[in-house]
Amino acid sequence: MRLILEPGFPGERQMAVDETMLILLSQGVIDETVRLWNFSPTTLSIGRFLRVEDWVNLELLKEKKTPFNSKVYGRRASSP
């Protein structure tokens, strides 16, 4: 297992890296990874199974100029 400590990047980039790493892991190209990161600028991100209409005030996000993204992939957290 490897550890990656990553500085803040935009939400789109962080989600793209997560998705790419998941694909590569499923193909056996990379090892399991713990990746610690944050969003810069601050970004609202919701999980794959959450409905935007139920959880996100899009007008407030627009007013505050806060970026938003929703994961299109994902797995439930699990314990070993």
Side-chain angles (χ1 to χ4, degrees):
M1 182 174 295
R2 64 186 178 155
L3 172 65
I4 297 176
L5 303 174
E6 191 157 349
F9 287 107
E12 297 85 8
R13 180 196 183 280
Q14 298 293 38
M15 295 297 100
V17 170
D18 275 358
E19 185 173 10
T20 300
M21 291 179 67
L22 180 62
I23 291 166
L24 293 174
L25 176 66
S26 71
Q27 295 173 351
V29 176
I30 64 172
D31 292 331
E32 291 180 345
T33 304
V34 173
R35 181 171 168 259
L36 303 176
W37 50 266
N38 64 9
F39 293 132
S40 180
T42 298
T43 301
L44 175 64
S45 178
I46 66 169
R48 172 182 180 185
F49 297 107
L50 298 177
R51 289 174 32 112
V52 172
E53 300 82 17
D54 294 338
W55 292 94
V56 180
N57 182 335
L58 293 172
E59 293 207 14
L60 183 59
L61 286 179
K62 186 176 179 179
E63 176 186 318
K64 301 291 184 183
K65 298 180 181 175
T66 301
F68 163 74
N69 66 47
S70 178
K71 288 184 175 185
V72 294
Y73 63 93
R75 295 174 23 185
R76 293 181 183 253
S78 61
S79 299

Coordinates of all heavy atoms in Angstrom, one line a residue:
M1 N 0.8 -1.2 0.0 CA 0.0 0.0 0.0 C 0.9 1.2 0.0 O 1.9 1.3 0.6 CB -0.9 0.0 1.2 CG -1.8 1.2 1.2 SD -3.1 1.2 2.5 CE -4.1 -0.2 2.1
R2 N 0.4 2.3 -0.7 CA 1.2 3.5 -0.7 C 0.4 4.7 -0.2 O -0.8 4.6 -0.1 CB 1.7 3.8 -2.1 CG 0.6 4.0 -3.1 CD 1.1 4.1 -4.5 NE -0.1 4.3 -5.4 CZ 0.0 4.9 -6.6 NH1 1.2 5.3 -7.0 NH2 -1.0 5.0 -7.3
L3 N 1.1 5.7 0.2 CA 0.5 6.9 0.7 C 0.8 8.1 -0.2 O 2.0 8.3 -0.5 CB 1.0 7.2 2.1 CG 0.6 8.5 2.8 CD1 -0.9 8.6 3.0 CD2 1.3 8.7 4.1
I4 N -0.2 8.9 -0.6 CA 0.1 10.1 -1.4 C -0.5 11.3 -0.6 O -1.7 11.3 -0.2 CB -0.6 10.0 -2.7 CG1 0.0 8.9 -3.6 CG2 -0.5 11.3 -3.5 CD1 -0.6 8.6 -4.9
L5 N 0.3 12.2 -0.3 CA -0.1 13.5 0.3 C -0.1 14.6 -0.8 O 1.0 14.9 -1.3 CB 0.8 13.9 1.5 CG 1.0 12.8 2.6 CD1 2.0 13.3 3.6 CD2 -0.3 12.6 3.3
E6 N -1.3 15.1 -1.1 CA -1.3 16.0 -2.2 C -1.9 17.3 -1.8 O -2.8 17.4 -1.0 CB -2.3 15.4 -3.3 CG -2.2 16.1 -4.6 CD -2.7 15.2 -5.7 OE1 -2.8 14.0 -5.5 OE2 -2.9 15.7 -6.8
P7 N -1.3 18.4 -2.3 CA -1.8 19.8 -2.0 C -3.2 20.0 -2.6 O -3.7 19.2 -3.4 CB -0.7 20.7 -2.6 CG -0.2 19.9 -3.7 CD -0.2 18.5 -3.3
G8 N -3.7 21.2 -2.3 CA -5.0 21.5 -2.9 C -5.0 21.8 -4.3 O -4.1 22.5 -4.9
F9 N -6.0 21.2 -5.0 CA -6.2 21.5 -6.4 C -7.7 21.6 -6.7 O -8.5 21.2 -5.8 CB -5.7 20.3 -7.3 CG -4.2 20.2 -7.4 CD1 -3.5 19.3 -6.7 CD2 -3.5 21.1 -8.2 CE1 -2.1 19.2 -6.8 CE2 -2.1 21.1 -8.3 CZ -1.4 20.1 -7.6
P10 N -8.2 22.1 -7.8 CA -9.6 22.2 -8.1 C -10.3 20.8 -8.0 O -9.7 19.8 -8.3 CB -9.6 22.8 -9.5 CG -8.3 23.5 -9.7 CD -7.4 22.7 -8.9
G11 N -11.6 20.9 -7.6 CA -12.4 19.7 -7.5 C -12.4 18.8 -8.7 O -12.3 17.6 -8.5
E12 N -12.5 19.4 -9.9 CA -12.5 18.5 -11.1 C -11.3 17.7 -11.2 O -11.3 16.5 -11.6 CB -12.7 19.4 -12.3 CG -13.9 20.2 -12.4 CD -13.8 21.6 -11.6 OE1 -12.7 21.9 -11.2 OE2 -14.9 22.2 -11.5
R13 N -10.1 18.3 -10.9 CA -8.9 17.5 -11.0 C -8.8 16.4 -9.9 O -8.4 15.3 -10.2 CB -7.7 18.5 -10.8 CG -6.4 17.7 -10.9 CD -5.2 18.6 -10.3 NE -3.9 17.9 -10.5 CZ -3.5 16.9 -9.7 NH1 -4.2 16.5 -8.7 NH2 -2.3 16.4 -9.9
Q14 N -9.2 16.8 -8.7 CA -9.1 15.8 -7.6 C -10.0 14.6 -7.9 O -9.6 13.4 -7.7 CB -9.5 16.4 -6.3 CG -8.6 17.5 -5.8 CD -7.2 17.1 -5.5 OE1 -6.6 16.2 -6.1 NE2 -6.6 17.7 -4.5
M15 N -11.2 14.8 -8.4 CA -12.2 13.8 -8.8 C -11.6 12.9 -9.9 O -11.8 11.7 -10.0 CB -13.5 14.3 -9.1 CG -14.2 15.0 -7.9 SD -14.6 13.8 -6.5 CE -13.2 14.2 -5.4
A16 N -11.0 13.6 -10.9 CA -10.5 12.9 -12.1 C -9.3 12.0 -11.7 O -9.2 10.8 -12.1 CB -10.0 13.9 -13.1
V17 N -8.5 12.4 -10.8 CA -7.4 11.6 -10.3 C -7.9 10.4 -9.5 O -7.5 9.3 -9.7 CB -6.4 12.4 -9.4 CG1 -5.4 11.5 -8.7 CG2 -5.7 13.5 -10.2
D18 N -8.9 10.6 -8.6 CA -9.6 9.5 -7.9 C -10.1 8.5 -8.9 O -9.9 7.3 -8.7 CB -10.7 10.0 -7.0 CG -10.2 10.5 -5.7 OD1 -9.0 10.5 -5.4 OD2 -11.1 11.0 -4.9
E19 N -10.8 8.9 -9.9 CA -11.4 8.0 -10.8 C -10.4 7.2 -11.6 O -10.5 6.0 -11.8 CB -12.4 8.7 -11.8 CG -13.1 7.8 -12.7 CD -14.1 8.5 -13.6 OE1 -14.2 9.7 -13.6 OE2 -14.9 7.8 -14.2
T20 N -9.3 7.9 -12.0 CA -8.2 7.3 -12.7 C -7.6 6.2 -11.9 O -7.3 5.1 -12.3 CB -7.2 8.3 -13.2 OG1 -7.9 9.2 -14.1 CG2 -6.0 7.7 -13.9
M21 N -7.3 6.6 -10.6 CA -6.7 5.6 -9.7 C -7.5 4.4 -9.5 O -7.0 3.3 -9.4 CB -6.3 6.3 -8.4 CG -5.2 7.3 -8.6 SD -4.7 8.2 -7.0 CE -4.0 6.8 -6.1
L22 N -8.8 4.6 -9.4 CA -9.8 3.5 -9.2 C -9.7 2.5 -10.4 O -9.6 1.3 -10.2 CB -11.2 4.0 -9.0 CG -12.2 2.9 -8.7 CD1 -12.0 2.1 -7.5 CD2 -13.6 3.5 -8.7
I23 N -9.7 3.1 -11.6 CA -9.6 2.3 -12.8 C -8.3 1.5 -12.8 O -8.3 0.3 -13.1 CB -9.8 3.2 -14.1 CG1 -11.2 3.7 -14.1 CG2 -9.4 2.4 -15.3 CD1 -11.4 4.8 -15.1
L24 N -7.2 2.2 -12.6 CA -5.9 1.6 -12.6 C -5.8 0.5 -11.6 O -5.2 -0.6 -11.8 CB -4.8 2.6 -12.4 CG -4.6 3.6 -13.6 CD1 -3.6 4.7 -13.3 CD2 -4.3 2.9 -14.9
L25 N -6.3 0.7 -10.4 CA -6.3 -0.3 -9.3 C -7.1 -1.5 -9.8 O -6.6 -2.7 -9.6 CB -6.9 0.2 -8.0 CG -7.0 -0.8 -6.9 CD1 -5.6 -1.2 -6.4 CD2 -7.8 -0.1 -5.7
S26 N -8.3 -1.3 -10.4 CA -9.1 -2.5 -10.8 C -8.4 -3.3 -11.9 O -8.7 -4.4 -12.1 CB -10.5 -2.0 -11.3 OG -10.4 -1.3 -12.5
Q27 N -7.5 -2.7 -12.6 CA -6.8 -3.3 -13.7 C -5.4 -3.9 -13.2 O -4.7 -4.5 -14.0 CB -6.5 -2.4 -14.9 CG -7.8 -1.9 -15.5 CD -7.5 -0.8 -16.6 OE1 -6.5 -0.3 -16.7 NE2 -8.6 -0.5 -17.3
G28 N -5.1 -3.7 -11.9 CA -3.9 -4.3 -11.4 C -2.7 -3.5 -11.7 O -1.5 -3.9 -11.6
V29 N -2.8 -2.2 -12.2 CA -1.7 -1.4 -12.6 C -1.0 -0.7 -11.5 O 0.2 -0.6 -11.5 CB -2.2 -0.4 -13.7 CG1 -1.0 0.6 -14.1 CG2 -2.7 -1.0 -14.9
I30 N -1.8 -0.3 -10.4 CA -1.3 0.3 -9.3 C -1.7 -0.4 -8.0 O -2.6 -1.2 -8.0 CB -1.7 1.8 -9.2 CG1 -3.2 1.9 -9.0 CG2 -1.2 2.6 -10.3 CD1 -3.7 3.3 -8.7
D31 N -0.9 -0.2 -6.9 CA -1.3 -0.8 -5.6 C -2.4 0.0 -4.9 O -2.6 1.1 -5.3 CB 0.0 -0.8 -4.7 CG 1.1 -1.7 -5.2 OD1 0.7 -2.7 -5.9 OD2 2.3 -1.4 -5.0
E32 N -2.9 -0.6 -3.9 CA -3.9 0.1 -3.1 C -3.2 1.4 -2.5 O -2.0 1.4 -2.2 CB -4.4 -0.7 -1.9 CG -5.2 -1.9 -2.4 CD -5.7 -2.7 -1.2 OE1 -5.2 -2.6 -0.1 OE2 -6.6 -3.5 -1.4
T33 N -4.0 2.4 -2.4 CA -3.4 3.7 -2.1 C -4.3 4.5 -1.1 O -5.5 4.5 -1.3 CB -3.3 4.6 -3.4 OG1 -2.5 3.9 -4.4 CG2 -2.7 5.9 -3.1
V34 N -3.7 5.1 -0.2 CA -4.3 6.1 0.7 C -3.9 7.4 0.1 O -2.7 7.7 0.1 CB -3.9 5.9 2.2 CG1 -4.5 7.1 3.0 CG2 -4.4 4.6 2.7
R35 N -4.9 8.2 -0.3 CA -4.6 9.5 -0.9 C -5.3 10.6 -0.1 O -6.5 10.6 0.1 CB -5.0 9.6 -2.3 CG -4.8 10.8 -3.0 CD -5.1 10.7 -4.6 NE -5.1 11.9 -5.2 CZ -6.2 12.6 -5.5 NH1 -7.3 12.1 -5.3 NH2 -6.0 13.8 -6.1
L36 N -4.5 11.5 0.5 CA -5.0 12.6 1.3 C -4.9 13.9 0.5 O -3.8 14.2 0.0 CB -4.3 12.7 2.6 CG -4.3 11.5 3.5 CD1 -3.4 11.7 4.7 CD2 -5.7 11.1 3.9
W37 N -6.0 14.6 0.3 CA -6.0 15.8 -0.5 C -7.1 16.8 0.0 O -7.9 16.4 0.9 CB -6.3 15.4 -2.0 CG -7.4 14.5 -2.2 CD1 -7.4 13.2 -2.2 CD2 -8.8 14.9 -2.3 NE1 -8.7 12.7 -2.4 CE2 -9.6 13.7 -2.4 CE3 -9.5 16.1 -2.3 CZ2 -10.9 13.7 -2.6 CZ3 -10.9 16.1 -2.4 CH2 -11.6 14.9 -2.6
N38 N -7.1 17.9 -0.6 CA -8.1 18.9 -0.3 C -8.5 19.7 -1.6 O -7.8 19.5 -2.6 CB -7.8 19.8 0.8 CG -6.6 20.7 0.5 OD1 -6.1 20.8 -0.6 ND2 -6.2 21.4 1.6
F39 N -9.5 20.4 -1.6 CA -9.9 21.2 -2.7 C -9.4 22.7 -2.6 O -9.5 23.2 -1.5 CB -11.4 21.3 -2.8 CG -12.1 20.1 -3.1 CD1 -13.2 19.7 -2.4 CD2 -11.7 19.3 -4.2 CE1 -13.9 18.5 -2.7 CE2 -12.4 18.1 -4.5 CZ -13.5 17.7 -3.8
S40 N -8.9 23.2 -3.6 CA -8.5 24.6 -3.7 C -8.8 25.1 -5.1 O -8.2 24.7 -6.0 CB -7.0 24.8 -3.3 OG -6.7 26.2 -3.4
P41 N -9.8 25.9 -5.2 CA -10.6 26.6 -4.2 C -11.6 25.6 -3.5 O -11.8 24.5 -4.0 CB -11.4 27.6 -5.0 CG -11.6 27.0 -6.3 CD -10.3 26.3 -6.6
T42 N -12.1 26.0 -2.4 CA -13.1 25.2 -1.7 C -14.2 24.8 -2.6 O -14.7 25.7 -3.4 CB -13.7 26.1 -0.5 OG1 -12.7 26.4 0.4 CG2 -14.8 25.3 0.2
T43 N -14.6 23.6 -2.6 CA -15.6 23.0 -3.5 C -16.5 22.1 -2.8 O -16.1 21.4 -1.9 CB -14.8 22.2 -4.6 OG1 -13.9 23.0 -5.3 CG2 -15.8 21.6 -5.6
L44 N -17.8 22.1 -3.1 CA -18.7 21.2 -2.6 C -18.8 20.0 -3.4 O -18.9 20.1 -4.7 CB -20.1 21.8 -2.5 CG -21.2 20.9 -2.0 CD1 -21.0 20.5 -0.6 CD2 -22.6 21.5 -2.2
S45 N -18.6 18.8 -2.8 CA -18.6 17.6 -3.5 C -19.6 16.6 -2.8 O -19.5 16.5 -1.6 CB -17.2 16.9 -3.5 OG -17.3 15.7 -4.2
I46 N -20.5 16.0 -3.6 CA -21.4 15.1 -2.9 C -21.2 13.7 -3.6 O -20.7 13.6 -4.7 CB -22.9 15.5 -3.0 CG1 -23.4 15.5 -4.5 CG2 -23.1 16.8 -2.4 CD1 -24.9 15.7 -4.6
G47 N -21.6 12.7 -2.8 CA -21.4 11.3 -3.3 C -22.3 10.9 -4.4 O -23.4 11.5 -4.7
R48 N -22.0 9.8 -4.9 CA -22.7 9.2 -6.1 C -24.1 9.0 -5.9 O -25.0 9.1 -6.8 CB -21.9 7.9 -6.4 CG -22.6 7.0 -7.5 CD -21.8 5.8 -7.6 NE -22.4 5.0 -8.6 CZ -21.9 3.8 -8.9 NH1 -20.9 3.3 -8.3 NH2 -22.5 3.0 -9.8
F49 N -24.5 8.5 -4.7 CA -25.9 8.1 -4.5 C -26.8 9.2 -3.8 O -27.9 9.0 -3.5 CB -25.9 6.9 -3.6 CG -25.3 5.7 -4.3 CD1 -24.1 5.2 -3.8 CD2 -25.9 5.1 -5.4 CE1 -23.5 4.2 -4.5 CE2 -25.3 4.0 -6.0 CZ -24.1 3.5 -5.6
L50 N -26.2 10.5 -3.8 CA -27.0 11.6 -3.2 C -27.6 12.4 -4.4 O -26.9 12.7 -5.3 CB -26.1 12.5 -2.4 CG -25.5 11.8 -1.1 CD1 -24.6 12.8 -0.4 CD2 -26.6 11.3 -0.2
R51 N -28.8 12.7 -4.2 CA -29.5 13.5 -5.3 C -29.2 15.0 -5.0 O -29.4 15.5 -3.9 CB -31.0 13.3 -5.2 CG -31.4 11.9 -5.7 CD -32.9 11.7 -5.5 NE -33.7 12.9 -5.6 CZ -34.6 13.2 -6.6 NH1 -34.8 12.3 -7.5 NH2 -35.3 14.3 -6.6
V52 N -28.7 15.7 -6.1 CA -28.4 17.1 -6.0 C -29.6 17.9 -5.5 O -29.5 18.7 -4.6 CB -27.9 17.6 -7.3 CG1 -27.7 19.1 -7.3 CG2 -26.6 16.9 -7.8
E53 N -30.8 17.6 -6.0 CA -32.0 18.3 -5.6 C -32.3 18.2 -4.1 O -32.9 19.1 -3.6 CB -33.2 17.8 -6.4 CG -33.1 17.9 -7.9 CD -32.2 16.8 -8.5 OE1 -32.0 15.7 -7.9 OE2 -31.8 16.9 -9.7
D54 N -31.9 17.1 -3.5 CA -32.2 16.9 -2.1 C -31.1 17.5 -1.1 O -31.4 17.8 0.0 CB -32.3 15.4 -1.7 CG -33.5 14.8 -2.4 OD1 -34.4 15.5 -2.8 OD2 -33.4 13.5 -2.6
W55 N -29.9 17.7 -1.6 CA -28.8 18.1 -0.7 C -28.1 19.4 -1.0 O -27.3 19.9 -0.2 CB -27.7 17.0 -0.8 CG -28.2 15.7 -0.2 CD1 -28.8 14.7 -0.8 CD2 -28.2 15.4 1.2 NE1 -29.2 13.7 0.1 CE2 -28.8 14.1 1.4 CE3 -27.8 16.0 2.4 CZ2 -29.0 13.5 2.6 CZ3 -27.9 15.4 3.6 CH2 -28.5 14.2 3.7
V56 N -28.3 20.0 -2.2 CA -27.5 21.1 -2.6 C -28.4 22.3 -2.9 O -29.4 22.2 -3.7 CB -26.7 20.8 -3.9 CG1 -25.9 22.0 -4.3 CG2 -25.8 19.6 -3.6
N57 N -28.1 23.4 -2.3 CA -28.7 24.7 -2.7 C -27.9 25.4 -3.8 O -26.9 26.1 -3.5 CB -28.8 25.6 -1.4 CG -29.5 26.9 -1.7 OD1 -29.5 27.4 -2.8 ND2 -30.0 27.5 -0.6
L58 N -28.2 25.1 -5.0 CA -27.4 25.6 -6.1 C -27.4 27.1 -6.2 O -26.4 27.7 -6.6 CB -27.9 25.0 -7.4 CG -27.7 23.5 -7.6 CD1 -28.4 22.9 -8.8 CD2 -26.3 23.1 -7.6
E59 N -28.5 27.7 -5.8 CA -28.5 29.2 -5.9 C -27.5 29.8 -4.9 O -26.8 30.8 -5.2 CB -29.9 29.7 -5.6 CG -30.9 29.3 -6.7 CD -32.0 30.3 -6.8 OE1 -32.0 31.4 -6.3 OE2 -33.0 29.9 -7.6
L60 N -27.4 29.2 -3.7 CA -26.5 29.7 -2.7 C -25.0 29.5 -3.2 O -24.2 30.3 -3.0 CB -26.7 29.0 -1.3 CG -25.8 29.5 -0.2 CD1 -26.0 31.0 0.1 CD2 -26.1 28.7 1.1
L61 N -24.8 28.3 -3.8 CA -23.5 28.0 -4.3 C -23.1 29.1 -5.3 O -22.0 29.6 -5.4 CB -23.4 26.7 -4.9 CG -23.3 25.5 -4.0 CD1 -23.3 24.2 -4.8 CD2 -22.2 25.6 -3.0
K62 N -24.0 29.4 -6.2 CA -23.8 30.4 -7.2 C -23.5 31.8 -6.6 O -22.6 32.5 -7.0 CB -25.0 30.5 -8.2 CG -24.8 31.4 -9.4 CD -26.0 31.3 -10.3 CE -25.7 32.2 -11.5 NZ -26.9 32.2 -12.4
E63 N -24.3 32.1 -5.6 CA -24.1 33.4 -4.9 C -22.8 33.5 -4.3 O -22.1 34.5 -4.3 CB -25.2 33.5 -3.9 CG -25.1 34.8 -3.0 CD -26.2 34.8 -1.9 OE1 -27.3 34.4 -2.1 OE2 -25.8 35.1 -0.7
K64 N -22.3 32.4 -3.6 CA -21.0 32.4 -3.0 C -19.9 32.0 -3.9 O -18.7 32.0 -3.5 CB -21.1 31.3 -1.8 CG -22.1 31.5 -0.8 CD -21.8 32.8 0.0 CE -22.8 32.9 1.2 NZ -22.6 34.1 1.9
K65 N -20.2 31.8 -5.2 CA -19.2 31.4 -6.2 C -18.4 30.2 -5.7 O -17.1 30.2 -5.9 CB -18.3 32.6 -6.5 CG -19.0 33.8 -7.0 CD -18.2 35.0 -7.3 CE -19.0 36.1 -7.9 NZ -18.3 37.3 -8.1
T66 N -19.1 29.2 -5.2 CA -18.4 28.0 -4.7 C -18.6 26.9 -5.8 O -19.7 26.6 -6.2 CB -19.1 27.5 -3.4 OG1 -18.9 28.5 -2.4 CG2 -18.4 26.2 -2.9
P67 N -17.5 26.3 -6.3 CA -17.6 25.2 -7.3 C -18.3 24.0 -6.7 O -18.3 23.8 -5.4 CB -16.2 24.9 -7.6 CG -15.4 26.1 -7.2 CD -16.1 26.7 -6.1
F68 N -18.9 23.2 -7.5 CA -19.6 22.0 -7.1 C -19.3 20.9 -8.0 O -19.2 21.1 -9.2 CB -21.1 22.3 -7.1 CG -22.0 21.1 -7.1 CD1 -22.1 20.4 -5.9 CD2 -22.7 20.7 -8.2 CE1 -22.9 19.2 -5.9 CE2 -23.5 19.6 -8.2 CZ -23.6 18.8 -7.0
N69 N -19.2 19.7 -7.5 CA -19.1 18.5 -8.3 C -19.8 17.3 -7.6 O -19.9 17.3 -6.4 CB -17.7 18.2 -8.8 CG -16.8 17.8 -7.7 OD1 -17.1 17.0 -6.9 ND2 -15.6 18.4 -7.8
S70 N -20.2 16.4 -8.4 CA -20.8 15.1 -7.9 C -20.0 13.9 -8.4 O -19.8 13.9 -9.6 CB -22.3 15.1 -8.3 OG -22.9 13.9 -7.9
K71 N -19.7 13.0 -7.5 CA -19.0 11.9 -8.0 C -19.8 11.0 -8.9 O -21.0 10.8 -8.6 CB -18.5 11.0 -6.8 CG -17.4 11.6 -6.0 CD -17.0 10.6 -4.9 CE -15.8 11.1 -4.1 NZ -15.4 10.1 -3.1
V72 N -19.3 10.5 -9.9 CA -20.0 9.6 -10.8 C -19.6 8.1 -10.6 O -20.1 7.2 -11.2 CB -19.9 9.9 -12.3 CG1 -20.5 11.3 -12.6 CG2 -18.4 9.9 -12.7
Y73 N -18.7 7.9 -9.6 CA -18.2 6.6 -9.3 C -18.2 6.6 -7.8 O -18.5 7.5 -7.1 CB -16.8 6.4 -9.8 CG -15.8 7.4 -9.2 CD1 -15.1 7.0 -8.1 CD2 -15.7 8.6 -9.7 CE1 -14.3 7.9 -7.5 CE2 -14.9 9.5 -9.1 CZ -14.1 9.2 -8.0 OH -13.3 10.1 -7.4
G74 N -17.7 5.4 -7.2 CA -17.6 5.4 -5.8 C -17.8 4.0 -5.2 O -18.5 3.2 -5.8
R75 N -17.3 3.9 -4.0 CA -17.5 2.6 -3.3 C -17.8 3.0 -1.9 O -17.3 4.0 -1.4 CB -16.2 1.8 -3.3 CG -15.9 1.3 -4.7 CD -14.6 0.6 -4.9 NE -14.0 0.0 -3.7 CZ -12.9 -0.6 -3.7 NH1 -12.1 -0.6 -4.7 NH2 -12.4 -1.1 -2.6
R76 N -18.5 2.2 -1.2 CA -18.8 2.4 0.2 C -17.5 2.2 1.0 O -16.7 1.3 0.7 CB -19.9 1.5 0.7 CG -21.2 1.8 0.1 CD -22.2 0.9 0.7 NE -23.5 1.1 0.1 CZ -24.5 1.7 0.6 NH1 -24.4 2.1 1.9 NH2 -25.6 1.9 0.0
A77 N -17.3 3.0 2.1 CA -16.2 2.8 2.9 C -16.3 1.5 3.6 O -17.4 1.0 3.9 CB -16.1 3.9 4.0
S78 N -15.2 0.8 3.8 CA -15.3 -0.5 4.5 C -14.1 -0.7 5.4 O -13.1 0.0 5.3 CB -15.2 -1.6 3.4 OG -14.0 -1.6 2.7
S79 N -14.3 -1.5 6.4 CA -13.2 -1.8 7.3 C -12.6 -3.2 7.0 O -13.3 -4.0 6.4 CB -13.8 -1.9 8.7 OG -14.4 -0.7 9.1
P80 N -11.3 -3.3 7.2 CA -10.6 -4.6 6.9 C -11.1 -5.7 7.7 O -11.7 -5.6 8.7 CB -9.2 -4.3 7.2 CG -9.1 -3.0 7.9 CD -10.4 -2.3 7.8

